[in-house]
Amino acid sequence: METGASLLKKGETSKEIYLLSRLQEVGHESDTPVEERLGLHFDLTVPLSRYVVENSGALAFPFKRWQIQKVWRGERPQEGRFREFVQADIDVIGNGDLPDHYEVELPLVMVAALERLREYGLPKATVHANNRKLSEGFYRGLGLTDVEGVLREIDKLDKIGADEVAKLLVSECGANEDQARACLELASLTAADGTELAERFDALAAAHGITSEGETAESYALAKQGLDTLAMIVDEAAAIRPGSVIADLKIARGLDYYTGSVYETFLDGAASLGSICSGGRYDNLASQGNKKYPGVGLSIGLSRLVSYMLHTAGAHASRVSPAVVMVAVWSEDERAASNRIANTLRSRGIAADVAPTAAKLGKQIKYADKLGIPYVWFPGQEGAGDEVKNIVSGDQLEADATSWEPDTVNARQTVVM
Amino acid sequence: METGASLLKKGETSKEIYLLSRLQEVGHESDTPVEERLGLHFDLTVPLSRYVVENSGALAFPFKRWQIQKVWRGERPQEGRFREFVQADIDVIGNGDLPDHYEVELPLVMVAALERLREYGLPKATVHANNRKLSEGFYRGLGLTDVEGVLREIDKLDKIGADEVAKLLVSECGANEDQARACLELASLTAADGTELAERFDALAAAHGITSEGETAESYALAKQGLDTLAMIVDEAAAIRPGSVIADLKIARGLDYYTGSVYETFLDGAASLGSICSGGRYDNLASQGNKKYPGVGLSIGLSRLVSYMLHTAGAHASRVSPAVVMVAVWSEDERAASNRIANTLRSRGIAADVAPTAAKLGKQIKYADKLGIPYVWFPGQEGAGDEVKNIVSGDQLEADATSWEPDTVNARQTVVM
């Protein structure tokens, strides 16, 4: 929960916000101004910023944190778009300033995390990076002043295509057709290394009269600042993990709070899924008086990613229960003996369940099978030793709860393709 | 999120519910009936019941699940009472029926979990168990019919004391003074074993004319059913973990959905904290047509427990950062070399951070110290080997990132008393 004032601090947002009211207040919700009402956070960055400002005296800066938590958006639920979902965020926040090496380190942390999921069927992920200063400098150099408006329309490229975006740039952002075409040309620019990026950008800028001289000098200088950071990012990333980050100048991030680098991440062969990991640098989100806490962060949309892995990438849970072994129960009077065996196994780190009822043995085994538990343990009766049956292979052997180890192949809890 | 209909399914609840409305709907919230609005769950049991009914065809019963998640209650926040907090729940749900051995196994799982926290300063926890059938049979045997009302008042005993509860039983529940006193006598009954419990209960019941004969036969039979289960629970628990569960007949659980066993858990010397782990058996919460899914579950109020451990029991985090070692950076041009060392350490499972800036070495060490990182790594320069300094002891030794191991005492992340 956050106050409405905190959620709406940055003014208009592209996110749909849920407000809360107590059941007792139904019919009187509007008595409280939105700013004073409580709402659910629509991301993990706005609450982080509030937290950093409130606790700045106690934190060591640069402050790094990860957070995996639910967020809520008041949208119509549909395939890949949830009202309630889990995000996994990493951010670094500085006090006053923040070195730009974090702008390459943070996307690489996410790439490393996503790379670990490839053995479960996730395709290769590539971070597409852009820089708002680069875009803003270019737009201003063209003579466009509604920078936020242009970014908002460019953000729609993947959804509605270049022709529709061009029309919107003209109708909504005061662009003429040449300016609109130039914005689309910039958006079509990609590069895998810094030199290539600088050459292409300079050629495009020059073609539209944006240079370091004359009237466009200030706009060009702003664009150049963004260009240099972006070039550094792709080159450093290529040195550490080749092919993980490319410059892609259509990345806009709509109405978000970013002020420099912006990132989106796409999976090979899954363009329709959209970005699975997005973020950027935000210099003005957290501030108090004239103190600023600039940050860089990225967020994985975990629910959507897991949904994709299960429904499209072919990952599935190999069994229902985490238990490796189920101890059978001969009769309810002997349940205590079965419990003791299970407790002995558990104390050795072996997850054990006990049969729910002293049903016929076949029914107990069927229950273990339904839960995907690979072993059933038979407590010894009348002085005989215990035995354990691998219900996958059918093998049954004598066993002692103080020393028995499951076969790792059967006992492993895996998510297989 | 749940629908209002789901949250209010069991009618009146003692929990304060938050309803949601989209920012765009402000002023029009009341257009939608409460049942169709979305709300935040106030516990994890109501959503579990909905889940079980919706997925009954796909689940293997008895269905066991644990869940650690936030819940919300629209209350005035105060010490130990939060609006937004984390609960840790375990439940077992049966299809049609559920063996009563789960009524002793589940509280013992919670006791085992709480026992593990004793090394971090948590006092001994004792589960106090009662049974609603026992209470209801006794109240009805006395001639009282507003059983829910009596339970609600008895639930206030710890807060307002016996005299005030007696007054409320008379004014709110139609009890006369004798009946009120009898209810309080029942509530004062405790026992550590089943035989003692049965003897004390029978003596009290007989003193108030409640016996297995005549007019009170039906009420007595109901009470006896609860008594037998409760006696089984304390005896079985005593056999497995002596002193972990006692019968305490004042436990009522207010307006909750329990139908049999009820549990509250108290910490030695922390009575004012109230119950840190509560639950019970609920036979009617999940149902569909004439199918019933009876359950037993308990919930730890994790936020309150952690708050107590940090503020009263003396637990604290031993350091701020999970990193064991911080790699120093000689100059920004040499940051890549420091990154490589950190990555080598990380690939070996050693959590490593890299200095945020190539500041003077003293400043870098101070940063590590502020984060509680015990080691600072110095990359070798001009052909020399790397060295690592234990900034707690001051020892500095040659080290190789491919083989170095931190001293376990310094590297361990612990919560100490």
Side-chain angles (χ1 to χ4, degrees):
Chain A
M1 287 183 195
E2 294 287 323
T3 61
S6 172
L7 293 170
L8 296 166
K9 196 180 169 196
K10 288 284 116 180
E12 199 183 352
T13 166
S14 56
K15 307 301 184 292
E16 295 248 12
I17 296 174
Y18 276 118
L19 295 173
L20 302 177
S21 51
R22 293 168 54 208
L23 183 59
Q24 285 78 348
E25 288 169 345
V26 167
H28 302 279
E29 289 96 336
S30 308
D31 296 357
T32 311
V34 167
E35 289 70 23
E36 293 171 24
R37 287 177 65 175
L38 293 169
L40 296 174
H41 44 251
F42 57 85
D43 73 0
L44 301 177
T45 313
V46 169
L48 171 68
S49 301
R50 195 233 338 120
Y51 173 85
V52 165
V53 169
E54 283 179 8
N55 296 281
S56 59
L59 299 175
F61 290 97
F63 171 61
K64 299 181 171 184
R65 84 90 178 72
W66 60 265
Q67 190 169 6
I68 301 177
Q69 203 173 302
K70 277 193 182 165
V71 303
W72 293 264
R73 295 184 190 170
E75 311 194 43
R76 186 183 297 274
Q78 49 184 289
E79 178 67 31
R81 190 167 282 248
F82 306 117
R83 291 186 297 211
E84 180 175 13
F85 57 100
V86 176
Q87 286 192 330
D89 278 34
I90 53 171
D91 289 85
V92 177
I93 312 259
N95 186 354
D97 54 16
L98 183 71
D100 62 4
H101 60 79
Y102 291 115
E103 291 170 64
V104 62
E105 286 169 21
L106 266 72
L108 287 179
V109 170
M110 287 308 206
V111 167
L114 293 167
E115 197 68 24
R116 292 282 288 275
L117 295 177
R118 291 192 67 184
E119 65 171 299
Y120 306 111
L122 197 74
K124 179 181 184 302
T126 308
V127 176
H128 293 231
N130 191 8
N131 191 292
R132 285 230 169 146
K133 290 178 184 167
L134 188 163
S135 307
E136 178 171 352
F138 186 84
Y139 301 155
R140 292 198 186 280
L142 290 175
L144 294 168
T145 51
D146 181 7
V147 174
E148 282 223 339
V150 175
L151 285 172
R152 180 166 28 195
E153 305 309 339
I154 292 292
D155 195 39
K156 298 174 184 166
L157 260 176
D158 283 342
K159 272 188 203 141
I160 62 174
D163 290 349
E164 291 301 313
V165 169
K167 282 181 201 162
L168 288 167
L169 289 171
V170 172
S171 66
E172 304 295 321
C173 310
N176 61 35
E177 301 219 340
D178 284 349
Q179 290 169 323
R181 202 177 52 246
C183 292
L184 289 169
E185 282 174 32
L186 183 74
S188 71
L189 203 158
T190 63
D193 72 67
T195 311
E196 182 192 1
L197 172 68
E199 284 173 6
R200 290 191 186 175
F201 176 80
D202 277 337
L204 182 66
H208 293 280
I210 306 167
T211 67
S212 58
E213 309 285 319
E215 267 183 22
T216 61
E218 203 179 321
S219 301
Y220 181 85
L222 180 63
K224 187 70 168 55
Q225 204 185 327
L227 181 70
D228 289 346
T229 301
L230 185 54
M232 178 278 288
I233 289 172
V234 291
D235 285 345
E236 290 284 323
I240 294 170
R241 201 182 275 267
S244 60
V245 181
I246 64 164
D248 180 348
L249 276 55
K250 76 168 180 294
I251 303 302
R253 304 293 313 140
L255 276 181
D256 283 321
Y257 30 62
Y258 302 111
T259 52
S261 293
V262 284
Y263 317 99
E264 295 193 350
T265 309
F266 300 94
L267 296 176
D268 280 3
S272 65
L273 187 65
S275 173
I276 55 148
C277 174
S278 310
R281 178 169 181 134
Y282 44 94
D283 280 352
N284 305 321
L285 188 57
S287 59
Q288 193 173 39
N290 55 7
K291 288 193 100 173
K292 281 196 176 177
Y293 303 95
V296 181
L298 288 100
S299 174
I300 293 179
L302 209 55
S303 300
R304 197 175 357 169
L305 191 68
V306 170
S307 171
Y308 173 83
M309 289 182 69
L310 292 173
H311 297 130
T312 308
H316 66 270
S318 60
R319 61 181 203 257
V320 173
S321 164
V324 172
V325 54
M326 187 198 73
V327 183
V329 175
W330 296 117
S331 72
E332 285 305 327
D333 287 345
E334 292 162 284
R335 174 170 295 279
S338 298
N339 280 336
R340 275 194 298 274
I341 292 166
N343 282 333
T344 302
L345 292 166
R346 288 170 190 147
S347 71
R348 297 176 49 234
I350 298 168
D353 203 349
V354 176
T357 62
K360 282 183 183 165
L361 211 51
K363 203 176 164 189
Q364 295 191 36
I365 292 174
K366 206 171 157 187
Y367 177 74
D369 191 42
K370 198 167 177 190
L371 291 177
I373 301 175
Y375 291 97
V376 176
W377 192 283
F378 304 115
Q381 289 182 296
E382 296 169 7
D386 295 357
E387 295 195 357
V388 66
K389 182 189 185 79
N390 179 330
I391 61 172
V392 182
S393 68
D395 297 341
Q396 185 165 335
L397 295 166
E398 286 196 10
D400 182 328
T402 61
S403 59
W404 176 78
E405 290 288 340
D407 181 298
T408 49
V409 175
N410 294 308
R412 208 163 66 116
Q413 256 196 294
T414 51
V415 178
V416 294
M417 285 182 57
Chain B
M1 287 184 195
E2 295 287 324
T3 60
S6 171
L7 293 169
L8 296 167
K9 196 179 169 197
K10 289 284 115 182
E12 199 183 352
T13 166
S14 56
K15 308 300 185 293
E16 294 249 11
I17 296 174
Y18 275 119
L19 294 174
L20 303 176
S21 51
R22 294 168 55 209
L23 183 57
Q24 287 79 348
E25 289 169 344
V26 166
H28 302 279
E29 289 96 337
S30 308
D31 297 357
T32 310
V34 166
E35 289 72 21
E36 292 170 25
R37 288 178 67 176
L38 293 169
L40 296 173
H41 43 251
F42 56 85
D43 73 0
L44 301 178
T45 313
V46 169
L48 170 67
S49 301
R50 194 226 349 111
Y51 173 85
V52 166
V53 169
E54 282 179 10
N55 297 280
S56 60
L59 298 175
F61 290 97
F63 172 61
K64 298 181 172 185
R65 83 90 179 71
W66 60 266
Q67 190 169 5
I68 300 176
Q69 203 171 304
K70 277 192 182 166
V71 303
W72 292 266
R73 296 186 189 170
E75 312 193 43
R76 186 182 297 274
Q78 48 183 290
E79 179 69 29
R81 191 168 282 247
F82 306 116
R83 291 186 297 209
E84 180 176 14
F85 58 100
V86 177
Q87 285 192 332
D89 278 34
I90 52 169
D91 290 84
V92 177
I93 312 260
N95 185 353
D97 54 17
L98 183 71
D100 63 3
H101 60 79
Y102 290 116
E103 289 171 63
V104 61
E105 284 169 24
L106 266 72
L108 287 179
V109 170
M110 288 308 208
V111 167
L114 293 166
E115 196 69 21
R116 293 282 286 276
L117 295 176
R118 292 193 66 183
E119 66 171 299
Y120 305 111
L122 197 73
K124 179 180 184 306
T126 307
V127 176
H128 293 230
N130 191 6
N131 190 291
R132 286 230 170 146
K133 290 177 183 168
L134 189 162
S135 307
E136 179 173 350
F138 186 84
Y139 301 155
R140 290 197 188 281
L142 289 174
L144 294 168
T145 52
D146 182 8
V147 174
E148 283 222 339
V150 175
L151 287 170
R152 181 167 29 199
E153 304 310 339
I154 292 292
D155 196 38
K156 297 174 184 166
L157 259 175
D158 282 344
K159 274 189 202 140
I160 62 175
D163 291 348
E164 290 300 316
V165 169
K167 282 183 203 159
L168 288 168
L169 288 171
V170 171
S171 66
E172 304 295 320
C173 308
N176 61 36
E177 302 220 339
D178 283 350
Q179 290 168 324
R181 202 176 52 245
C183 292
L184 290 169
E185 282 174 31
L186 183 74
S188 71
L189 203 160
T190 64
D193 71 68
T195 311
E196 182 190 1
L197 172 67
E199 285 172 5
R200 290 193 187 172
F201 176 79
D202 278 338
L204 183 65
H208 292 282
I210 306 169
T211 66
S212 58
E213 311 283 321
E215 266 183 24
T216 60
E218 202 179 324
S219 303
Y220 181 84
L222 180 65
K224 186 71 167 51
Q225 206 185 327
L227 179 70
D228 288 347
T229 302
L230 185 55
M232 180 278 290
I233 290 172
V234 291
D235 285 345
E236 290 285 321
I240 295 169
R241 202 182 274 269
S244 59
V245 181
I246 63 164
D248 180 349
L249 275 54
K250 77 168 177 298
I251 303 303
R253 304 295 311 139
L255 276 182
D256 283 319
Y257 30 61
Y258 301 112
T259 52
S261 294
V262 285
Y263 316 100
E264 295 194 349
T265 309
F266 301 94
L267 296 175
D268 281 2
S272 65
L273 187 64
S275 173
I276 55 148
C277 174
S278 310
R281 175 167 184 138
Y282 44 93
D283 279 352
N284 305 322
L285 189 57
S287 59
Q288 194 173 38
N290 55 8
K291 288 192 99 173
K292 280 198 176 176
Y293 302 95
V296 180
L298 289 100
S299 175
I300 293 179
L302 210 55
S303 300
R304 195 173 3 166
L305 190 68
V306 169
S307 172
Y308 172 83
M309 288 181 70
L310 292 172
H311 298 132
T312 308
H316 67 271
S318 60
R319 60 181 204 256
V320 172
S321 165
V324 172
V325 53
M326 188 197 72
V327 183
V329 175
W330 295 117
S331 73
E332 285 304 326
D333 288 343
E334 293 162 284
R335 174 170 296 278
S338 298
N339 280 336
R340 274 194 299 274
I341 292 166
N343 282 333
T344 302
L345 292 165
R346 288 170 190 150
S347 72
R348 296 176 51 235
I350 297 167
D353 203 348
V354 176
T357 62
K360 282 183 184 164
L361 211 50
K363 203 176 163 192
Q364 295 191 36
I365 292 173
K366 206 170 157 187
Y367 176 73
D369 191 42
K370 199 165 175 190
L371 292 177
I373 301 175
Y375 290 97
V376 176
W377 192 282
F378 304 115
Q381 288 183 299
E382 297 169 6
D386 295 358
E387 295 194 356
V388 65
K389 183 189 184 81
N390 179 329
I391 61 172
V392 182
S393 68
D395 296 341
Q396 185 165 336
L397 295 165
E398 287 196 11
D400 183 327
T402 61
S403 59
W404 176 78
E405 291 287 342
D407 182 298
T408 49
V409 175
N410 294 309
R412 210 163 66 115
Q413 256 196 293
T414 50
V415 178
V416 295
M417 286 183 55

